[in-house]
Every structure is written in structure tokens, then in C-alpha cells.
Amino acid sequence: QVQLVESGGGTVQAGGSMILSCVVSGNIASSLTMGWHRQAPGKQRELVASITRNGIIYYVDSVKGRFTISRDNAANTVYLQMNSLKPEDTGVYYCGARPVGIAQYNYWGQGTQVTVSS
């Protein structure tokens, strides 16, 4: 069984920074592709950034140059460093995981609220 537990989040002023962490447990943790998703009020959940077990990274255009995803396989932890935050970054951020070769994220954390005030 894979479990994901997020930490971080809160309220920050526009232009500020915040880091989110996601600890993954389970015997396949190190082999998973990890992704940070966010869901803004009234909008669908979107993939913000992802990282494979080998370090291949994806960012959605709106966060390129501002967000950095990283992972520590030894600690089974994934991070999302968020800089130059904007009010439109506000939402619930979810850590998700998917096994190699599977297109859908099928493991999820509980979500953490990020609010960026203007």
C-alpha cells in the first residue's frame, strides 16, 4: 500500500516563496513517478510539475522558471519549491504518484492549501 503525506502550505504574500514536501511510504515508493497537482476554486485539478524516478522533469508553462520539483529517493520525499508566487497560484496542492508505465495518477495525498494574497 502506498501512502502520501504532504506538508507545507499556508498563506504567503504575492512575490513570496513556499516549499511543499511529500513523504511517500510503501515498498514501491522509489520507483514511482511523482507529481504535484493543484486545484483552484471552481477549476479542475491540473498537473503542475512531475518528476520520474530517474529525474526527468515536467512543468506546466505557468510555473516554469518559478517552481522547482525535486526528489530525495533515499528519504522517499518529493519537494516543490515555489518562488515568485502569484495570486493565481492559490489552490489546494496535491501530491500524486503513479507506477512506471501507468498513465494515471492513482495514489494521492490529502492535499494542502496554498493561498497567495495580493
Side-chain angles (χ1 to χ4, degrees):
Q1 184 72 14
V2 177
Q3 291 186 322
L4 288 71
V5 179
E6 299 120 335
S7 61
T11 300
V12 65
Q13 287 193 328
S17 297
M18 185 179 290
I19 186 165
L20 305 180
S21 301
C22 174
V23 178
V24 188
S25 62
N27 58 7
I28 61 170
S30 63
S31 68
L32 299 168
T33 292
M34 303 299 302
W36 284 100
H37 301 68
R38 71 183 171 199
Q39 187 163 18
K43 294 188 177 181
Q44 288 191 329
R45 190 177 299 186
E46 67 168 343
L47 176 64
V48 172
S50 67
I51 184 167
T52 69
R53 59 179 176 171
N54 296 321
I56 297 172
I57 290 173
Y58 161 84
Y59 296 107
V60 70
D61 284 347
S62 60
V63 308
K64 285 180 180 177
R66 300 189 298 121
F67 289 13
T68 302
I69 189 171
S70 61
R71 68 189 292 168
D72 181 344
N73 287 333
N76 286 341
T77 303
V78 180
Y79 304 94
L80 186 67
Q81 174 69 49
M82 303 183 292
N83 298 327
S84 302
L85 282 161
K86 304 175 181 181
E88 51 264 43
D89 294 318
T90 294
V92 179
Y93 282 70
Y94 296 91
C95 177
R98 59 181 175 85
V100 174
I102 303 297
Q104 272 192 311
Y105 286 83
N106 49 12
Y107 301 108
W108 294 97
Q110 78 282 3
T112 185
Q113 177 70 45
V114 172
T115 301
V116 184
S117 60
S118 56

